[in-house]
Amino acid sequence: MLFFTQCFGAVLDLIHLRFQHYKAKRVFSAAGQLVCVVNPTHSLKYAPTRCAAAQASTEQGMLPPCHHHEAVHDPQLVPCTCPLFSCPWEGHLEVVVSHLRQTHRINILQGAEIVFLATDMHLPAPTDWIIMHSCLGHQFLLVLRKQEKYEGHPQFFATMMLIGTPSQADNFTYRLELNRNQRRLKWEATPRSILECVDSVISDGDCLVLNTSLAQLFSDNGSLAIGIAITTSKVHSSEAEM
């Protein structure tokens, strides 16, 4: 009975995912955009990541605790950049993408313009929706987070991070667009480097921020569609022409 119950639940989840993907394709196929249905990851509590812990220690005027193995720490190694988990993994920047795909099962979508369809927006905070976007020879990490910045007032934060260095991130511009019921909302900015920590970007508010009522205006049956476009920055383009 337990076996059949689990199988039946898996079939229902697959049917639900297919239905969401069908709805998204029906809405956005006319625009010729690729659609990725992203299910939420809901955690009971966020475990403090190493970058968040280091930031808190710095604000309090203290250095992070030193462990014996950190005495020979390779400065070229970076911690896991996935905001969903407190992951102890660290490695070189070139293998971050393979770690995210293999260990955390994060999907990757290719194309200059895609649609990020986040399902189940009604779930309580904290909740994350995350996907990788491959474009212009680089990989980007799109994070949508539902979080209570003030108690009892959840907000949605969406940001694009380049899996690369800050100097590489300056070469690109990303645009997030919400479009529904004759309303349109756009956010355009330079992506931040994944080395700068997603938590810091969200706490600084340097991203697309939606309160609950505004998110409901653009949602459809509990799903929020965000159009994503990435281009090279004007400065980088002019330098290439020269």
Side-chain angles (χ1 to χ4, degrees):
M1 287 296 295
L2 180 61
F3 173 77
F4 284 108
T5 301
Q6 291 177 340
C7 289
F8 184 69
V11 171
L12 287 180
D13 291 340
L14 181 60
I15 294 175
H16 175 71
L17 181 61
R18 287 293 182 90
F19 178 68
Q20 293 286 352
H21 190 265
Y22 169 76
K23 289 200 307 178
K25 289 188 67 176
R26 185 183 60 186
V27 173
F28 296 102
S29 59
Q33 293 176 306
L34 296 173
V35 178
C36 184
V37 179
V38 184
N39 292 322
T41 298
H42 181 71
S43 53
L44 297 177
K45 276 190 176 182
Y46 277 97
T49 59
R50 277 177 289 179
C51 59
Q55 181 182 9
S57 299
T58 303
E59 291 175 353
Q60 296 173 6
M62 298 182 297
L63 293 176
C66 179
H67 300 285
H68 177 70
H69 71 276
E70 292 179 348
V72 292
H73 177 72
D74 186 346
Q76 294 183 343
L77 296 181
V78 296
C80 176
T81 55
C82 184
L84 304 181
F85 309 97
S86 180
C87 177
W89 178 91
E90 61 180 8
H92 291 277
L93 194 58
E94 308 85 62
V95 295
V96 168
V97 173
S98 60
H99 169 73
L100 294 176
R101 296 197 67 181
Q102 296 173 9
T103 303
H104 300 301
R105 306 298 181 189
I106 297 177
N107 294 325
I108 185 168
L109 202 62
Q110 298 184 0
E113 295 188 12
I114 64 174
V115 174
F116 178 96
L117 184 66
T119 66
D120 300 323
M121 302 294 294
H122 61 277
L123 288 177
T127 304
D128 279 321
W129 295 258
I130 183 171
I131 192 176
M132 283 191 291
H133 182 191
S134 179
C135 179
L136 300 175
H138 289 77
Q139 283 73 40
F140 300 82
L141 194 70
L142 177 68
V143 178
L144 173 65
R145 175 174 298 174
K146 184 177 183 180
Q147 180 174 307
E148 289 188 357
K149 199 164 186 179
Y150 305 101
E151 186 175 356
H153 299 280
Q155 293 177 303
F156 293 90
F157 303 86
T159 186
M160 181 75 76
M161 311 286 289
L162 172 72
I163 302 179
T165 64
S167 60
Q168 290 175 323
D170 289 338
N171 294 328
F172 299 96
T173 299
Y174 76 95
R175 184 181 74 247
L176 305 179
E177 181 175 337
L178 305 176
N179 190 353
R180 187 174 181 270
N181 292 335
Q182 299 180 343
R183 297 178 179 88
R184 179 174 296 180
L185 180 64
K186 290 184 180 181
W187 167 268
E188 187 171 290
T190 300
R192 303 279 286 272
S193 167
I194 202 70
L195 301 177
E196 300 180 50
C197 190
V198 175
D199 294 335
S200 299
V201 176
I202 291 178
S203 62
D204 293 342
D206 186 17
C207 55
L208 174 64
V209 183
L210 304 171
N211 58 31
T212 304
S213 58
L214 189 58
Q216 289 176 348
L217 286 176
F218 290 98
S219 65
D220 180 18
N221 293 325
S223 297
L224 186 67
I226 305 177
I228 308 169
I230 301 177
T231 57
T232 54
S233 63
K234 294 180 180 179
V235 174
H236 183 259
S237 300
S238 61
E239 290 178 352
E241 292 175 358
M242 294 176 62

